[in-house]
Amino acid sequence: MGGHAIVLDIGKTMSKASLWSPKGELLARRTRANLPSAGPGYPALDAAGIEAWLMEALAELAPLAPVSAIIPVAHGAGFAVLRDGALLQPPMDYELELSTSEMASYLGQRDAFALTGSPALPAGLNLGAQLHALQSRHPAAVSPGVTLLPWVQYWAWRLCGVAASERTSLGCHTDLWYPAADTFSSLAKARGWAESFAPLRQAGECLGTLLPEWAARTGLPETVRVHCGLHDSNAALLAVRAHPQIGDLESTVLSTGTWFVGLRTPAGPIEPAALPEARDCLVNVDAFGRTVPSARFMGGREAELLLGDDERLDVPADQPALLEAVPAVLEAGALPLPAQVAGCGPYPRGKGGWPARPQDSIARRAAVGLYLALMVDSMLELIGSAERLVVEGRFAGCEVLLRSLASLRPGQTVYRAPAENDVSYGALGLLHPELQPAEPLQQVPAFAPEWVTALNKARTVWRNAAGAGENIA
């Protein structure tokens, strides 16, 4: 399909709208921090605020190029409820708290991990838990006559008026999907949710054209095609696999943002039983319906908790100093312990904490970069990651993280993805399958041998300190 395209990326922390040429050139981008919102008795996703921003962003992008298509991507732990062609009430935020009785009731109904590939997660990270909580608190909100949409397809519907569901969104730790059978789970069917979800469509499929109200308020033509869209981590996977260095070869993509998600593409299908459910491993479904063993933790959130909002790991000018601080940090044993967000990641029972928090900002940030690398290293072992590792997203500019991974994982070639080769570029690839990234992946070197030795010793100490029987050394 020819023409310029806009990719709408609704993350947990940020919303982005980016304009791309048919040759895969990023022409412009607009961003907005997502703000807290509230529904009736629960924290909500800021649907109204995002929509108001999106109207303005599209109006700013419209004059820059002749836009012919829009495709959305979003995180997978959200859904919307429609009744009579309108949003019934604000979508839930996955950080809602379920009562003890709500959670106990839900856990007693969910399918086995061996069938869904969805681990039992805290709060509303399983989409089924959100549906259960909403139905128990507001029965009319999940009742016959409503239409359920994954969060990403809500935005496609809002732009073109056509309701759809899609596999990558249903197949990412929702408890609602059987990846191998390509159908809704027994839980989803028994509760009546399966029949309420909008019809299944393909991620790259055109659902319709831009609604007149959006055309009038943004200046975009009504002929703009609106495509179904997909789960953001799966879009990152598509972006990396577009590189000739990767293609269909054995590889793992580490997508970094609020969540760090590792997705391994093996030679054949994976059985969920081969993964340790209790350590935040899961089975995703890619844009073509294939199973993808995955693991994750809230890396971006944990970095924020450890450092605050003002200290960043990816400031280009600081990278040499951060690298120089590594030996002293390792010698001091100044590494945070897992996990800063309880119940998630490869060490869900970890108590967190920071035994020797450095006073110096450079040393402190270097320590957090090392911590993230140790968490990722554990995560990758759990899913059998081998051969090639590609890091993309917000933390791909963190040299301590990348150099540490190249040092900790000598059997893998570690690459950094170009900044523009991100989630949005992966979604664009569904519209322009022939595209290849303009910049190649950059191979990341390991540390000097003496640093590697110190890092491996620190890993042993750190894993022992993680405790709770969760060592994977």
Side-chain angles (χ1 to χ4, degrees):
M1 299 179 183
H4 294 73
I6 291 174
V7 180
L8 173 61
D9 176 6
I10 307 296
K12 180 66 169 72
T13 306
M14 298 288 294
S15 294
K16 306 173 186 176
S18 52
L19 175 64
W20 298 81
S21 78
K23 295 181 179 180
E25 302 161 316
L26 177 62
L27 303 180
R29 176 171 281 165
R30 301 291 183 268
T31 63
R32 178 217 189 234
N34 295 332
L35 303 176
S37 187
Y42 57 81
L45 301 173
D46 188 18
I50 293 171
E51 179 170 322
W53 161 81
L54 181 59
M55 282 278 190
E56 295 179 1
L58 294 181
E60 293 175 5
L61 296 176
L64 303 182
V67 176
S68 61
I70 299 175
I71 185 168
V73 298
H75 67 77
F79 73 99
V81 185
L82 309 182
R83 185 185 288 279
D84 299 326
L87 183 64
L88 182 61
Q89 59 192 74
M92 279 185 158
D93 189 308
Y94 62 67
E95 296 189 79
L96 86 157
E97 294 184 11
L98 276 72
S99 69
T100 301
S101 60
E102 282 177 327
M103 184 59 81
S105 173
Y106 177 69
L107 292 176
Q109 298 177 52
R110 62 189 296 273
D111 292 89
F113 177 74
L115 295 171
T116 63
S118 294
L121 299 174
L125 285 167
N126 295 120
L127 201 58
Q130 290 186 45
L131 281 161
H132 176 78
L134 185 62
Q135 194 165 33
S136 64
R137 300 176 191 183
H138 304 281
V142 190
S143 60
V146 303
T147 299
L148 303 178
L149 298 176
W151 181 227
V152 60
Q153 278 75 49
Y154 167 76
W155 292 102
W157 167 81
R158 190 65 195 91
L159 290 167
C160 73
V162 179
S165 298
E166 182 271 335
R167 287 175 176 83
T168 66
S169 301
L170 292 172
C172 59
H173 59 84
T174 65
D175 282 342
L176 304 179
W177 194 253
Y178 287 168
D182 194 35
T183 188
F184 280 98
S185 67
S186 294
L187 168 69
K189 293 175 181 177
R191 294 293 295 269
W193 303 334
E195 63 188 39
S196 294
F197 269 95
L200 198 67
R201 305 285 287 269
Q202 298 296 322
E205 190 173 345
C206 176
L207 300 183
T209 54
L210 195 65
L211 289 170
E213 63 177 288
W214 283 86
R217 294 180 63 181
T218 64
L220 290 169
E222 291 185 31
T223 54
V224 170
R225 303 183 307 275
V226 178
H227 294 257
C228 186
L230 74 164
H231 175 224
D232 52 10
S233 295
N234 270 285
L237 182 64
L238 287 175
V240 167
R241 296 193 73 79
H243 282 273
Q245 296 147 285
I246 301 298
D248 293 327
L249 298 173
E250 167 78 25
S251 59
T252 301
V253 175
L254 178 67
S255 181
T256 65
T258 301
W259 287 92
F260 279 35
V261 183
L263 303 102
R264 179 172 72 87
T265 48
I270 185 75
E271 291 295 331
L275 300 172
E277 173 186 7
R279 302 184 66 180
D280 221 345
C281 291
L282 61 149
V283 175
N284 274 292
V285 179
D286 75 8
F288 309 103
R290 299 174 297 203
T291 54
V292 180
S294 310
R296 39 176 235 149
F297 75 107
M298 292 189 83
R301 176 66 56 81
E302 294 208 15
E304 291 170 4
L305 292 172
L306 289 164
L307 296 172
D309 295 332
D310 298 328
E311 293 187 312
R312 292 180 51 185
L313 301 179
D314 61 343
V315 178
D318 293 346
Q319 297 310 303
L322 293 174
L323 287 170
E324 289 176 6
V326 166
V329 170
L330 291 174
E331 184 177 356
L335 298 177
L337 295 174
Q340 310 307 312
V341 178
C344 295
Y347 301 98
R349 296 191 297 275
K351 302 301 182 183
W354 201 335
R357 187 176 190 268
Q359 296 301 308
D360 176 70
S361 173
I362 291 293
R364 193 162 51 243
R365 283 183 284 161
V368 173
L370 289 164
Y371 167 77
L372 294 176
L374 290 169
M375 290 287 279
V376 170
D377 176 53
S378 295
M379 190 175 79
L380 297 178
E381 285 192 23
L382 292 171
I383 60 172
S385 176
E387 300 293 336
R388 301 155 194 85
L389 172 65
V390 183
V391 182
E392 73 84 39
R394 193 199 318 170
F395 290 82
C398 176
E399 291 293 334
V400 173
L401 168 64
L402 271 67
R403 297 281 296 273
S404 297
L405 287 172
S407 303
L408 290 165
R409 307 190 62 78
Q412 283 190 288
T413 304
V414 178
Y415 296 99
R416 180 204 328 273
E420 294 180 4
N421 186 215
D422 61 0
V423 165
S424 297
Y425 192 91
L428 185 72
L430 289 175
L431 308 183
H432 302 283
E434 74 288 352
L435 280 181
Q436 289 190 356
E439 296 182 42
L441 299 171
Q442 302 171 359
Q443 186 171 342
V444 178
F447 288 135
E450 61 272 21
W451 291 23
V452 175
T453 300
L455 180 56
N456 279 307
K457 289 181 179 178
R459 171 170 58 181
T460 299
V461 173
W462 183 84
R463 286 188 176 181
N464 287 336
E470 293 178 326
N471 288 336
I472 55 173

